[in-house]
Amino acid sequence: MHTKMLNLESKRREAILNAALKEFALKGFDDASTNTIAKESGISKGLMFHYVNSKKDLFLFLYDYCTAMIDKEYVDLMNFDERDIFERLRQSYLLQLELLQKHPWIFEFNKICITESDEINKELEERQKGKQALCYEKMFDSIDESRFRDGLDIERCKQLIFWANVGFTNEILEEIRNSSNNELDYDMIIAKLDGYLNELRKIFYK
């Protein structure tokens, strides 16, 4: 990672990172504007390129930085000893929300997997080979299936719960995308989440 960026005073670094995350998340690598990133960061474009050499360097720095942060502050903190799937999902959301309060566009940016640049795509492909992720299998592995109602097809139930989970995640990301100041009511989101999870418990649990 670029030491110049990492050694920046935290407030300025966060301003640059969040401006770049938003621009790349909304427009992708190819259409993102470094002028917009610099303006939103409150610094000159020349100063920004003092910390990173190019748009490509900034993008790949962000990718590595976000991957490390998601692993450290989300994946590594998940307690997979919790076998109640709804408690596990709630824990997952709370960790994601903590990250979103620091970097509202981090998960939108993390979806980027291909660009018009073959050079960037090759770099992303190499990074994704060892990328740790909370995939479907890991989230639903070793859950307590005895809690489910008798006669249900557990695997289909898992898929339905997963789809509900994806839908709620996309709803949160859409709210961020449509928010002009990125200030969301996280208490309201958690209350809404608990309401959905309680309804799912009624449907699937004894």
Side-chain angles (χ1 to χ4, degrees):
M1 286 193 183
H2 297 274
T3 54
K4 284 184 180 179
M5 183 70 81
L6 292 174
N7 290 335
L8 262 176
E9 183 268 326
S10 61
K11 187 174 181 180
R12 172 166 286 185
R13 183 180 65 245
E14 295 302 298
I16 296 172
L17 291 177
N18 281 327
L21 284 171
K22 180 178 180 180
E23 183 69 5
F24 284 125
L26 286 174
K27 299 179 181 177
F29 171 78
D30 305 289
D31 295 329
S33 165
T34 52
N35 289 324
T36 299
I37 294 170
K39 182 179 179 181
E40 292 292 319
S41 304
I43 63 173
S44 70
K45 186 175 178 179
L47 182 57
M48 184 176 75
F49 282 124
H50 170 72
Y51 302 123
V52 291
N53 295 323
S54 64
K55 178 179 170 181
K56 171 193 167 187
D57 281 354
L58 177 58
F59 180 84
L60 293 176
F61 168 80
L62 275 177
Y63 191 90
D64 292 340
Y65 184 87
C66 290
T67 297
M69 180 168 289
I70 289 171
D71 285 348
K72 180 181 178 182
E73 299 192 26
Y74 174 33
V75 178
D76 291 347
L77 296 181
M78 280 292 297
N79 174 22
F80 289 101
D81 290 333
E82 171 58 67
R83 299 187 63 212
D84 184 314
I85 184 55
F86 298 115
E87 288 301 320
R88 191 181 285 184
L89 286 172
R90 187 178 194 276
Q91 176 194 166
S92 170
Y93 274 114
L94 293 180
L95 290 171
Q96 289 180 69
L97 287 171
E98 286 183 22
L99 257 180
L100 286 171
Q101 290 182 67
K102 298 176 187 176
H103 300 292
W105 295 91
I106 189 168
F107 291 109
E108 284 278 298
F109 174 83
N110 200 50
K111 290 180 178 180
I112 299 174
C113 59
I114 192 167
T115 72
E116 293 178 9
S117 166
D118 291 338
E119 185 180 4
I120 295 288
N121 293 339
K122 185 177 179 181
E123 293 275 4
L124 291 179
E125 185 179 350
E126 287 298 314
R127 282 159 165 77
Q128 287 166 356
K129 285 179 182 177
K131 189 175 179 181
Q132 187 178 12
L134 273 184
C135 60
Y136 173 93
E137 291 79 9
K138 189 167 186 178
M139 180 61 75
F140 285 85
D141 183 47
S142 301
I143 64 170
D144 184 358
E145 297 181 359
S146 69
R147 295 171 181 261
F148 285 80
R149 290 169 173 251
D150 295 335
L152 291 179
D153 184 317
I154 302 299
E155 293 307 312
R156 287 182 177 177
C157 290
K158 289 179 184 179
Q159 188 65 61
L160 289 168
I161 294 167
F162 175 72
W163 286 334
N165 172 59
V166 171
F168 187 70
T169 299
N170 287 338
E171 180 179 319
I172 295 172
L173 295 178
E174 186 64 23
E175 286 184 37
I176 292 172
R177 181 181 286 271
N178 294 330
S179 174
S180 59
N181 55 12
N182 295 329
E183 291 182 4
L184 296 179
D185 186 339
Y186 288 94
D187 289 336
M188 183 187 73
I189 291 173
I190 293 171
K192 187 187 293 186
L193 166 67
D194 285 336
Y196 286 148
L197 291 178
N198 286 335
E199 292 304 315
L200 288 172
R201 284 188 181 93
K202 293 177 188 176
I203 294 169
F204 293 106
Y205 276 7
K206 295 175 183 176

